[in-house]
């Protein structure tokens, strides 16, 4: 844990018990503005890089959350979740919506945390202002219940075609306690294992897919700025 991360951990959890510390860490990370502008793929440096820049996306957010939760003695694994950006609930402008239809399947990162006897999804991706854009912001988390997933997980049978019945509910039953791969997810105990798995995925992308992704990221970033400017 870097000195900056350690300082933030102390600041966010000072005088709080375990449950309130979990909530405080979650809320501080959730409130970091979501941004795809700067790649932060190294789990060893991404948390500090994000804190210094004051913005980041699902990867560095959950690397940081896992690092802090592990410091508290909690068991955490990384959940890699397949999804598509063409989500009908996101209030894209027409031009951006058109771009999403040409994107390949993407992969989201969240955490699964053992709380009591259950493994629950903890997703701190979207910051509150993005609720105006149709993003499922996790507000008022109680430190125990499962959060909404930031995206609609693609189950294995529909990985290449969007399922209109998909929701942001976690791919699991409410009574499931075991740590095991879930439909639509790939779990890793270590951040480095997730990073290795993700690199294997992105190296298979075609040049035209990479071009479309970069164009989408640029336009998506502009749109997020406009959402945050709305009253």
């Amino acid at each position: 844990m870097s000195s900056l991360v350690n300082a933030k951990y102390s600041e966010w959890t000072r005088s709080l018990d375990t449950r309130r510390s979990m909530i405080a860490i979650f809320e501080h990370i959730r409130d970091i503005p979501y941004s795809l502008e700067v790649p932060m793929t190294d789990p060893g440096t991404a948390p500090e890089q994000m804190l210094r820049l004051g913005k980041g996306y699902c990867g560095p957010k959950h690397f940081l959350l896992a690092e802090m939760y592990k410091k508290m003695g909690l068991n955490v694994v990384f959940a890699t979740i397949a999804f598509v950006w063409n989500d009908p609930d996101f209030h894209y402008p027409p031009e951006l919506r058109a771009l999403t239809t040409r994107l390949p399947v993407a992969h989201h990162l969240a955490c699964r945390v053992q709380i009591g006897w259950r493994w629950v999804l903890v997703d701190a991706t979207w910051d509150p202002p993005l609720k105006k854009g149709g993003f499922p912001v996790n507000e008022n988390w109680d430190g125990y219940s499962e959060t909404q997933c930031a995206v609609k997980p693609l189950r294995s049978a529909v990985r290449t075609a969007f399922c209109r019945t998909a929701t942001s509910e976690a791919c699991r039953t409410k009574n499931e306690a075991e740590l095991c791969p879930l439909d639509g997810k790939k779990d890793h105990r270590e951040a480095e294992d997730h990073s290795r798995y993700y690199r294997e995925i992105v190296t298979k992308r075609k040049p035209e897919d990479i071009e479309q992704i970069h164009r989408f990221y640029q336009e998506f970033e502009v749109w997020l700025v406009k959402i945050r400017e709305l009253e």
Side-chain angles (χ1 to χ4, degrees), residues 125-168:
T125 298
W126 307 123
D127 53 291
L130 297 186
K131 186 176 181 179
K132 293 173 290 188
F135 296 91
V137 177
N138 283 304
E139 300 175 301
N140 305 313
W141 184 51
D142 60 8
Y144 176 77
S145 303
E146 193 139 50
T147 66
Q148 290 188 97
C149 186
V151 297
K152 293 181 174 66
L154 289 181
R155 276 59 173 181
S156 55
V158 291
R159 285 188 182 277
T160 56
F162 185 62
C163 178
R164 291 288 172 178
T165 60
T167 71
S168 291

Side-chain angles (χ1 to χ4, degrees), residues 15-227:
S15 302
L16 299 179
D17 61 21
T18 298
R19 180 170 170 273
R20 289 192 297 163
S21 292
M22 290 175 63
I23 295 171
I25 290 169
F26 172 84
E27 290 180 345
H28 277 96
I29 294 174
R30 179 202 61 195
D31 292 352
I32 295 171
Y34 184 91
S35 174
L36 290 164
E37 188 174 14
V38 180
M40 306 177 207
T41 58
D42 184 343
T45 60
E48 180 171 357
Q49 185 181 6
M50 178 179 65
L51 290 172
R52 293 192 182 281
L53 289 172
K55 57 185 176 181
Y57 53 96
C58 61
K61 284 194 172 198
H62 292 98
F63 291 149
L64 178 59
L65 186 139
E67 189 170 358
M68 290 188 171
Y69 277 10
K70 287 180 178 180
K71 184 177 176 67
M72 296 174 61
L74 297 169
N75 291 322
V76 183
V77 297
F78 297 92
T80 306
I81 303 165
F83 75 103
V84 292
W85 280 106
N86 187 19
D87 186 324
D89 291 335
F90 296 170
H91 304 163
Y92 291 126
E95 299 82 3
L96 192 56
R97 172 72 68 188
L99 279 178
T100 68
T101 64
R102 298 192 289 272
L103 296 175
V105 170
H107 292 81
H108 169 61
L109 182 64
C111 288
R112 293 180 69 200
V113 183
Q114 188 174 23
I115 303 175
W117 59 274
R118 300 180 65 227
W119 285 90
V120 303
L121 185 76
V122 180
D123 195 320
T125 298
W126 307 123
D127 53 291
L130 297 186
K131 186 176 181 179
K132 293 173 290 188
F135 296 91
V137 177
N138 283 304
E139 300 175 301
N140 305 313
W141 184 51
D142 60 8
Y144 176 77
S145 303
E146 193 139 50
T147 66
Q148 290 188 97
C149 186
V151 297
K152 293 181 174 66
L154 289 181
R155 276 59 173 181
S156 55
V158 291
R159 285 188 182 277
T160 56
F162 185 62
C163 178
R164 291 288 172 178
T165 60
T167 71
S168 291
E169 297 300 320
C171 298
R172 57 183 289 116
T173 64
K174 291 183 178 180
N175 295 324
E176 186 176 58
E178 300 81 7
L179 174 59
C180 58
L182 304 174
D183 191 19
K185 288 194 188 127
K186 176 72 172 179
D187 290 340
H188 296 96
R189 289 189 177 273
E190 301 297 333
E192 292 76 12
D193 293 334
H194 156 76
S195 297
R196 190 178 306 111
Y197 173 73
Y198 184 73
R199 286 195 299 270
E200 291 174 358
I201 292 171
V202 298
T203 54
K204 297 177 183 177
R205 288 175 177 165
K206 300 176 181 178
E208 54 267 33
D209 288 337
I210 295 173
E211 182 180 348
Q212 292 292 344
I213 291 168
H214 287 166
R215 183 182 173 194
F216 169 74
Y217 282 2
Q218 292 172 351
E219 296 298 325
F220 186 71
E221 196 74 22
V222 171
W223 180 53
L224 293 187
V225 172
K226 292 180 179 178
I227 292 175

